[in-house]
Amino acid sequence: MSHIPHSLARSLIIAITIGVAPVVSGCSAAAPAAAPTPTETSSPVRAVDLAEGDQDEPVQVAVDGGVEGVGVTFREITIEPGASTGEHCHYGQLIAVVAEGELTHYSDTHPGGVRVYRDGDSIIEGAGYPHEGRNEGDSDVVLWVTYVIPEGKPLAETDLALCDR
């Protein structure tokens, strides 16, 4: 995994500090916010909220990357109708917002093993447990995802024997 350029890392720190990074796994059922619009100012620091999701409980992100550190990856994922992420787990934490559509999430961490996340909901996936996201609807699901993963590990692990549970 390549290192984040200093200017991008500084922008990431600023974005997190001023609250533009999405925070996301048990989320509120509040109606999704209107589409964000760019902030047009003459300020040397500008921010555009790309997605927003609420959490009903406190969130703590802690990923031990050892001496290698951790990597942070931002990714847009589109899941077409009828498609699935496949069952997998993560070595670190994933923080996401459903930007469009409805994701059906299968995991033993949910009561009854399933939870549906809708447009504007946030998701937090911890390390180690197997889960799968499916698009059981008629339109694309678009997720905006931040991965915080130990350096050198894949963003998703599909060999379930390497998952904790």
Side-chain angles (χ1 to χ4, degrees), residues 10-33:
R10 190 176 72 190
S11 297
L12 173 61
I13 291 167
I14 291 169
I16 291 170
T17 302
I18 63 175
V20 297
V23 176
V24 278
S25 176
C27 54
S28 74

Side-chain angles (χ1 to χ4, degrees), residues 72-149:
V72 177
T73 301
F74 298 98
R75 177 180 275 182
E76 180 179 88
I77 297 172
T78 301
I79 305 170
E80 295 180 2
S84 162
T85 63
E87 197 170 8
H88 63 281
C89 66
H90 303 284
Y91 288 97
Q93 288 187 274
L94 173 149
I95 304 168
V97 172
V98 180
E100 295 177 29
E102 186 173 286
L103 179 72
T104 304
H105 194 262
Y106 292 89
S107 170
D108 290 341
T109 62
H110 303 305
V114 65
R115 179 169 181 174
V116 176
Y117 293 97
R118 293 176 174 81
D119 191 4
D121 286 346
S122 61
I123 305 165
I124 294 178
E125 295 177 349
Y129 64 89
H131 57 277
E132 178 180 16
R134 295 183 197 161
N135 181 350
E136 297 177 350
D138 296 330
S139 61
D140 286 353
V141 169
V142 178
L143 305 172
W144 287 349
V145 184
T146 301
Y147 298 85
V148 183
I149 305 290

Side-chain angles (χ1 to χ4, degrees), residues 3-62:
H3 290 282
I4 299 173
H6 177 70
S7 61
L8 180 57
R10 190 176 72 190
S11 297
L12 173 61
I13 291 167
I14 291 169
I16 291 170
T17 302
I18 63 175
V20 297
V23 176
V24 278
S25 176
C27 54
S28 74
T37 55
T39 303
E40 297 295 330
T41 66
S42 60
S43 171
V45 176
R46 291 182 265 307
V48 177
D49 294 345
L50 300 175
E52 182 178 290
D54 295 324
Q55 289 295 307
D56 294 334
E57 299 176 12
V59 174
Q60 181 176 6
V61 176

